[in-house]
Amino acid sequence: DITLFVQRDGYGIREHTYAFDKNGFSAADINVLARHLFQGRKIKAWAYQQSPDSLIWIAMEDGGVVGVTYFHEHKVVAYHRHELGGDGKVESVCSIPGDSYDEIWFLVRREINGQTVRYIEKLDPPFDAETSHTAFFVDCGLSYEGEAETVMRGLDHLEGETVQVLADGATHPDCMVENGRITLDAPAKIVHVGLPFVSELKTLPIDFPTPNGTAQGRTKKIINTDIRLYRTLGLWAGEDETRLDEELFRAVSDEVSEPASLFTGNWE
């Protein structure tokens, strides 16, 4: 009983519903709290992913990607911005029903080895495992699983690019693709190789009630911070992007030869 549509100027999304109290139709603006994501940026294409989560994937005219977590029955409309690794630009997006979830496919324009190329890339499903071995957090990447190998081949599509590597669940130093291959420091059985990207969280301005009103604009002293994490291997945290400290998650119980355990909970 709801239709979402892009308004005619291409700069926003509206929710078309029937209102019983007015005995008529309404078209509410649902990006009123995320206008900064659409300023000067038109919507070029979009697709709806029903499973595993209710998400709208939007390809913007400038090549960027905006996602919307949309649960009308729970009054949830949450926007998130996605920047592709390697400065990739998305030109189109579609949703295709898969075996266990709706697959999201992008048409991506990239500059690889001095040439403009276009690749069809599929978004990996949400990570849901107890160890980091199957964590695929790279763009335009490929995976290897088999006998322990040192040389990873078949990377011609990333020729000349510096790539990130996850080898048997542990971070490997970055490599440069030459002749369609990279060489690892040690043999590995499960390897993920691709272009790097950064997952960044910036909180809203801190506010809390005081006897004299809002705390906005007042000097504050931050003693510590708790960050709620889910299956995390590491992070950098600080006052801003120029002042960050690395947080290490290796526990005493972790085997030296194995990657650190994934952490779920509050981290101070």
Side-chain angles (χ1 to χ4, degrees):
D1 56 354
I2 298 169
T3 301
L4 299 178
F5 67 93
V6 179
Q7 60 190 38
R8 64 173 176 265
D9 60 12
Y11 290 110
I13 303 173
R14 292 188 175 270
E15 183 184 66
H16 186 262
T17 59
Y18 177 80
F20 286 96
D21 56 337
K22 297 189 299 183
N23 191 27
F25 294 96
S26 65
D29 182 358
I30 67 168
N31 63 299
V32 65
L33 296 179
R35 295 203 182 281
H36 60 291
L37 298 180
F38 295 89
Q39 287 180 344
R41 309 171 73 208
K42 284 190 175 183
I43 295 174
K44 184 177 182 180
W46 63 349
Y48 176 61
Q49 183 183 29
Q50 184 178 33
S51 177
D53 296 301
S54 180
L55 295 169
I56 304 165
W57 295 96
I58 304 171
M60 307 301 292
E61 200 172 47
D62 61 2
V65 176
V66 173
V68 187
T69 304
Y70 178 80
F71 289 96
H72 176 80
E73 61 272 24
H74 301 297
K75 295 181 173 56
V76 172
V77 181
Y79 287 79
H80 27 99
R81 180 176 53 204
H82 299 263
E83 297 179 357
L84 273 66
D87 199 28
K89 305 297 182 184
V90 173
E91 296 186 338
S92 188
V93 58
C94 73
S95 176
I96 301 175
D99 293 336
S100 58
Y101 70 101
D102 292 340
E103 299 174 353
I104 294 298
W105 295 75
F106 293 119
L107 171 62
V108 185
R109 185 181 74 251
R110 298 185 180 277
E111 298 293 327
I112 301 293
N113 203 23
Q115 294 183 334
T116 300
V117 296
R118 285 173 173 82
Y119 294 149
I120 305 295
E121 304 182 24
K122 181 168 73 77
L123 193 66
D124 212 49
F127 175 68
D128 187 22
E130 298 298 331
T131 67
S132 58
H133 291 76
T134 58
F136 188 88
F137 286 97
V138 291
D139 271 352
C140 197
L142 293 176
S143 297
Y144 169 82
E145 183 172 358
E147 296 296 326
E149 296 283 353
T150 302
V151 178
M152 296 291 116
R153 300 175 175 82
L155 299 170
D156 303 82
H157 68 292
L158 294 176
E159 185 66 30
E161 297 296 311
T162 298
V163 293
Q164 280 191 345
V165 182
L166 188 75
D168 286 340
T171 303
H172 184 281
D174 292 352
C175 299
M176 179 174 287
V177 179
E178 297 182 0
N179 299 319
R181 66 184 68 181
I182 62 171
T183 302
L184 305 180
D185 294 341
K189 296 181 179 180
I190 302 177
V191 182
H192 309 291
V193 182
L195 298 173
F197 63 86
V198 176
S199 298
E200 183 180 55
L201 170 67
K202 185 176 181 180
T203 64
L204 292 170
I206 297 174
D207 193 14
F208 50 87
T210 70
N212 299 321
T214 179
Q216 294 273 351
R218 301 189 181 192
T219 301
K220 309 174 187 67
K221 183 177 181 180
I222 308 300
I223 304 301
N224 56 28
T225 301
D226 279 352
I227 305 175
R228 184 163 295 170
L229 303 172
Y230 178 71
R231 294 183 179 177
T232 299
L233 190 60
L235 60 84
W236 294 72
E239 299 176 49
D240 55 48
E241 60 270 17
T242 63
R243 291 176 288 181
L244 297 175
D245 296 319
E246 185 177 9
E247 299 292 323
L248 301 177
F249 285 76
R250 180 169 289 278
V252 177
S253 59
D254 290 335
E255 295 289 341
V256 177
S257 59
E258 294 292 328
S261 302
L262 300 180
F263 178 83
T264 296
N266 291 346
W267 185 269
E268 182 176 322

